[in-house]
Amino acid sequence: MRRKQQRGEATYEQLLDAALRVYAESGDQGLTVGAVTKASGVSLGSLYHHFGSIDGLLDALLMRWLGRLLEATLTSLEGTRSARTGIRAIVTAYLGFVRDHHDAALLLHSADADRRGMTDGKGLRDAQEARLSPLAQWAQGYVDAGELAPLPPGLIEVLVLGPVIGVARRWLSGVDDVDLDEAAELLPERIWRSVAA
């Protein structure tokens, strides 16, 4: 890798890291070009060169962390031997990710992320297809084996992830009636009942 290319990649990462820090401290209203360049020490020109706009930076930040969340979820399935243990692994991995990456989880579960998802849900899904496809294939294998109900893939995804996302949002919002450890213990069995054949 050429030195200039390495510097460019380092600047790109530096801007993303700074954007997450700014978001965590100030929310989406505080995520401005000025705040990110100040926090990163990177020039305005470099930000525009790499991302085109603050929206481009936010899109890249969302994609970075969505990819990491999906990767953690997919990795959790390695070594599971049934749909039931796979569901437990998914729930545990997702909630563990939320706990371990609080600031990124806040961003991923934000109203702004929802708006972007509603506006360009297909584009986001297409961009993450390489990570989503193995999850869909995992579920389809258990539908074919008769362990999971023969439901449309999107419905299985909603039934498995919907409750987990709901718990994550409630916990991230500061509501103190949700405990992630308790949810990781209780949710898998209830989710399993909703998708079992």
Side-chain angles (χ1 to χ4, degrees), residues 84-103:
R84 190 179 214 158
T85 58
I87 288 169
R88 179 164 295 284
I90 288 169
V91 170
T92 302
Y94 195 108
L95 295 178
F97 185 94
V98 167
R99 181 190 321 275
D100 294 345
H101 304 285
H102 182 271
D103 295 345

Side-chain angles (χ1 to χ4, degrees), residues 23 31 53-63 107 112 116:
Y23 179 84
L31 190 62
S53 66
I54 195 70
D55 285 337
L57 174 63
L58 184 55
D59 286 344
L61 187 61
L62 283 165
M63 293 304 287
L107 174 68
D112 194 47
R116 289 169 187 274

